Amino acid sequence: MGDVIYARSPREEMNGWRHLPQYIDKIRLFLAGHLGMDYLPFLGKNSDAVWLAAAGVTHEQMVDVVRGTIIDGEVCDWVRTHIHKSAADKAAHRTAMLDFPPAGDAAAQAFFEERKAAYSVTHRKDITNRGDLIDADEGRIG
């Protein structure tokens, strides 16, 4: 892993929201000037944007929330107070985040295979979704 500071796994959850801890880490690293070049162009986009849309908040709001907090518990309290989504909404988001690329979506499957090639892991049959790919790239899974 070297000197790079990685955000938590996209599998991590907070208050029932998958990806939120990773997103918080990316914002904290960005604010400290330590967000890796692999993450920087995508901050607030891609998976972050999926979470933002599901939660109904903006990237700017989340940056302000994280900037104004010291610990994750404070962010969690803000989320609990300001984001009112049902358990079903959170479960649908959790499934969407875990199940990318969807089995029946040929375009998403092709895109995912391109990403695996970019990471030089096309030989890895155990890498079947976005979480696997990120965790493998960052050394969390062998």
Side-chain angles (χ1 to χ4, degrees), residues 11-125:
R11 299 177 197 292
E12 298 282 331
E13 293 186 21
M14 176 186 289
N15 194 36
W17 287 107
R18 182 171 302 259
H19 180 75
L20 179 57
Q22 183 188 57
Y23 183 40
I24 292 167
D25 285 355
K26 291 191 300 186
I27 294 170
R28 287 199 195 286
L29 288 166
F30 171 75
L31 292 172
H34 296 293
L35 185 63
M37 293 307 297
D38 288 349
Y39 281 123
L40 195 55
F42 306 108
L43 182 62
K45 301 175 177 123
N46 297 346
S47 296
D48 299 344
V50 171
W51 183 83
L52 290 163
V57 295
T58 67
H59 174 65
E60 292 74 19
Q61 282 176 293
M62 287 308 297
V63 170
D64 287 344
V65 168
V66 173
R67 181 183 287 121
T69 62
I70 297 172
I71 61 171
D72 285 352
E74 293 172 297
V75 178
C76 187
D77 289 345
W78 187 92
V79 168
R80 194 176 300 117
T81 302
H82 293 90
I83 299 174
H84 304 287
K85 299 294 179 175
S86 70
D89 291 334
K90 292 177 184 180
H93 173 262
R94 189 168 36 255
T95 298
M97 293 301 287
L98 182 61
D99 291 345
F100 185 86
D105 186 334
Q109 288 286 336
F111 173 76
F112 185 71
E113 289 303 317
E114 289 173 14
R115 299 307 308 144
K116 282 180 71 172
Y119 286 78
S120 301
V121 293
T122 53
H123 64 286
R124 299 274 308 265
K125 302 303 178 206

